[in-house]
Amino acid sequence: MSAESELLPVEDARARALALASPLPTEWARLEEALGRTLGAEVLAQRTLPPWDNSAMDGYAVRSADLSGPLPIRLSIGETIHAGSTPRVELRPGTCARIMTGAPLPTGADAIVMQERTRPAQGADGPAVEILEAVPPGNFVRPRGEDARAGEPLLARGTPLGIPELGLITAQGMFTVPVPRRPRVAILSTGDELCRADEAPDGRIVDTNAPSLALAVARAGGLPTLLGIARDTQEEVSTRLADAQGFDVVLTSAGVSVGERDFVKAALQEQGVELNFWRVAIKPGKPLVVGRRGATVYFGLPGNPASSLVTFELFVRPVLRRLLGHTDVEPPRVPGRLDGELRKAPGLAHYIRVVASWRDGELWARPLATQTSGALRSTASATHLLHFPREASSLAHGGHVVLLPVSWGT
C-alpha cells in the first residue's frame, strides 16, 4: 500500500472539517451589513405589497368583458392615471382609462391592454382609443399582495440574504434583521524566513499569506485579525496560538509538514487542540491539519502561497459559510471542457489553476503555464480550479471536466 493511499480524500476531509462547525449566535444587523449572511429567524411581512392592483405596462385599463365583440373596439377614455396618483373615475361599460406602469387600477378595471395593441381615436364625447386585441381578466395586472401580505411569512429562517431578499425586507420598512454574527478569524504566519511588507527584507521574504488570507476571509464574510509572524520554535508558535483564544476560527500558514522546524502541529496539541486529521490526498495542499478546541476550529494551512489559497477555497471557506448559517456550503461546481492536455501520477487529486472562457456555448478551461505552489503569480490569473481526479492519470484535450469558480478573483 502506497503512502498516498492512506491520505484522507478531499471530500472526506471537507466533511470532517464542516462537522466541527455550527452556525454562530444571532445578532441584529443593519441591512447593508447582512448581505451574504442568512436569516436567524423567520421574518413576517409588515406591509401588503403592492397595496393595490397595478399596471405592469403603459397602456389602457379596461373591463375585459367590453372586448368580447368584433375588433377593433372603440372605448372612451375617462381619465389618465400616472404612477403615484390615485384613480378618480370608476370604469363604466364602454370606457377605459389611460394608465402608466405602476399606477393603481381604477375601480371596475380587471385588465390592461398594452399601448402597442391600440391606436388613437376620437369619440363623440371626447378622446377615445381603438383596442386591437381582446385580453383576459388579469392581463398585465400586478395583483395586490403579489410580493407580500401583512402578517404572512415573508422569508424563512436560514434564507441566504442576497440583494433581492434585502430589497424585500427594505420594502417592509425594516432596517435591521436577525443574522448569525460574522466569524472572528485569527491569522498567524510562521517562519524565520518571513518579514512584514514594511520591514527591510535582509535576506527574508515578505509574508503574503496572512494579508491574502485576511482578504479571503473578509470576502467570505468573516472578520480577520492578523496575529503577526511566529518564528520557527515550538515555544513561539505555541505562545502566539495562545493569543488566539476567543476566535471562531484560527488559521496558521506553514509549519505543518514534516520538516525539522515544522512545529505547528505540536504547538496546536500543546494548546489543547484536538486534531481531527492531518494530510489530505490533494495537490497543492497535502500537509493540511484541522482540529478544534472548544468551539474554535483550527486550520494549519500549507506555507506555499498557492497551496494556502487553494486549501482556503476548498476547506476554510465552506466552514465560514457554515458558521454564517448557510446550508449550501460546498464549493460550487460547473461543467467545462479542457483546452489542453494534462498528465499526472495517480494518488493525489490535483486542483489545477485555469483561466476559463466561453467558446461555442461551452466553458473552456486553459491551465496556467505554471502550477508551482510557491509563487502568487501562478495563482493571480486563475478564474477556476480544475478538478483532476485522484486516480486519473491523464485528461485529454476537449474532455469534459469539473471546474470550481474561485472566490479570490475579480
Side-chain angles (χ1 to χ4, degrees), residues 39-331:
L39 274 176
E42 181 182 62
V43 172
L44 300 180
Q46 307 298 309
R47 301 171 176 173
T48 295
L49 296 174
W52 15 250
D53 294 347
N54 70 95
S55 177
M57 285 282 180
D58 289 345
Y60 293 86
V62 300
R63 294 158 41 97
S64 58
D66 286 347
L67 308 182
S68 59
L71 297 172
I73 291 176
R74 181 171 296 188
L75 300 176
S76 299
I77 301 174
E79 65 175 325
T80 297
I81 311 168
H82 294 278
S85 63
T86 301
R88 294 174 289 105
V89 179
E90 179 180 355
L91 286 195
R92 304 185 311 277
T95 68
C96 66
R98 181 83 170 97
I99 195 167
M100 308 304 170
T101 302
L105 266 66
T107 302
D110 66 355
I112 303 295
V113 178
M114 60 190 299
Q115 182 173 320
E116 293 84 345
R117 302 304 299 156
T118 69
R119 61 188 179 209
Q122 186 66 33
D125 299 325
V129 65
E130 287 189 343
I131 307 297
L132 305 180
E133 70 174 3
V135 296
N139 191 64
F140 290 128
V141 174
R142 296 170 179 159
R144 178 181 183 274
E146 182 180 40
D147 249 4
R149 289 187 176 273
E152 294 183 357
L154 182 70
L155 294 170
R157 178 179 181 177
T159 298
L161 292 174
I163 293 171
E165 289 78 15
L166 291 173
L168 275 174
I169 294 171
T170 299
Q172 293 295 315
M174 300 172 63
F175 300 100
T176 60
V177 286
V179 290
R181 64 170 175 79
R182 294 190 184 279
R184 297 187 293 263
V185 182
I187 302 170
L188 174 66
S189 293
T190 69
D192 291 338
E193 76 280 13
L194 299 179
C195 67
R196 300 192 312 269
D198 59 352
E199 293 181 304
D202 295 330
R204 298 173 296 175
I205 59 174
V206 172
D207 173 29
T208 59
N209 280 356
S212 296
L213 289 170
L215 292 171
V217 166
R219 178 166 280 190
L223 299 172
T225 297
L226 299 180
L227 298 183
I229 300 170
R231 301 304 162 198
D232 283 328
T233 69
Q234 182 172 330
E235 180 182 6
E236 181 161 349
V237 174
S238 184
T239 299
R240 293 297 188 96
L241 285 172
D243 294 336
Q245 294 187 28
F247 286 88
D248 303 302
V249 176
V250 177
L251 307 180
T252 68
S253 65
V256 290
S257 193
V258 293
E260 292 182 358
R261 294 188 173 185
D262 288 339
F263 295 116
V264 167
K265 196 166 69 139
L268 287 170
Q269 291 174 307
E270 184 179 333
Q271 288 297 315
V273 177
E274 182 179 351
L275 301 187
N276 190 280
F277 63 87
W278 175 53
R279 303 195 347 138
V280 180
I282 184 177
K283 183 177 179 179
K286 182 170 69 173
L288 173 72
V289 60
V290 175
R292 183 172 66 182
R293 180 181 63 181
T296 304
V297 183
Y298 289 77
F299 289 89
L301 304 180
N304 284 324
S307 301
S308 178
L309 283 176
V310 169
T311 49
F312 178 92
E313 195 72 18
L314 297 177
F315 303 102
V316 181
R317 188 168 180 268
V319 165
L320 295 179
R321 287 180 57 79
R322 172 66 56 81
L323 294 173
L324 286 166
H326 291 279
T327 55
D328 181 11
V329 298
E330 291 285 328

Side-chain angles (χ1 to χ4, degrees), residues 354-379:
V354 301
V355 176
S357 57
W358 288 98
R359 192 167 75 228
D360 300 326
E362 294 184 288
L363 196 59
W364 285 81
R366 175 177 54 81
L368 295 177
T370 176
Q371 295 292 323
T372 63
S373 299
L376 273 177
R377 186 149 191 167
S378 68
T379 306

